[in-house]
């Protein structure tokens, strides 16, 4: 059964332009992992489009064949590099991993 990894971030920046720049950079870095991390089956990342300031700022939805694929993604150097930047600009993170058919 496929594992869907869903993560959302609330950014630390209070300036709207800075927050938007950070959100776009996160989306860019995560999207660049496709084709680099072999275990990614699909990956979508995006910044909040409708309710900025109310909803969380950025979301990642990624699918993996199994838990081992998710763990390989998390351990991959390219993911770790993206994570370093993300942790430097976020205030909060929430994640859930679910099985999908």
């Amino acid at each position: 059964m496929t594992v869907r990894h869903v993560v959302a971030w609330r950014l630390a920046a209070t300036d709207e332009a800075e927050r938007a720049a950070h959100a776009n950079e996160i989306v860019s870095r995560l999207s660049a992992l496709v084709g680099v991390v072999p275990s990614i089956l699909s990956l979508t990342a995006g910044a909040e489009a409708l309710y900025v300031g109310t909803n969380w700022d950025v979301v990642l939805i990624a699918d993996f064949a199994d838990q081992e694929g998710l763990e390989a993604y998390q351990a991959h150097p390219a993911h770790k590099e993206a994570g370093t930047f993300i942790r430097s600009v976020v205030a909060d993170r929430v994640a859930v991993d679910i099985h999908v058919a």
Side-chain angles (χ1 to χ4, degrees):
M1 197 171 278
T2 302
V3 172
R4 179 159 294 156
H5 179 60
V6 182
V7 184
W9 295 272
R10 187 167 281 137
L11 300 177
T14 56
D15 176 75
E16 189 175 325
E18 183 179 13
R19 191 170 60 243
H22 289 167
N24 289 334
E25 184 65 20
I26 290 170
V27 170
S28 176
R29 288 177 185 239
L30 292 172
S31 298
L33 297 175
V34 175
V36 174
V37 180
S39 63
I40 296 172
L41 298 179
S42 69
L43 183 147
T44 302
E48 171 59 38
L50 301 178
Y51 302 104
V52 175
T54 301
N55 289 342
W56 289 58
D57 297 300
V58 182
V59 68
L60 164 73
I61 303 166
D63 289 345
F64 303 89
D66 50 28
Q67 182 176 350
E68 291 77 18
L70 171 60
E71 291 170 355
Y73 160 79
Q74 291 171 330
H76 195 283
H79 174 264
K80 287 183 178 251
E81 183 178 332
T84 298
F85 172 76
I86 293 167
R87 283 187 301 279
S88 77
V89 298
V90 302
D92 208 356
R93 174 188 180 273
V94 62
V96 64
D97 299 299
I98 63 172
H99 286 116
V100 294

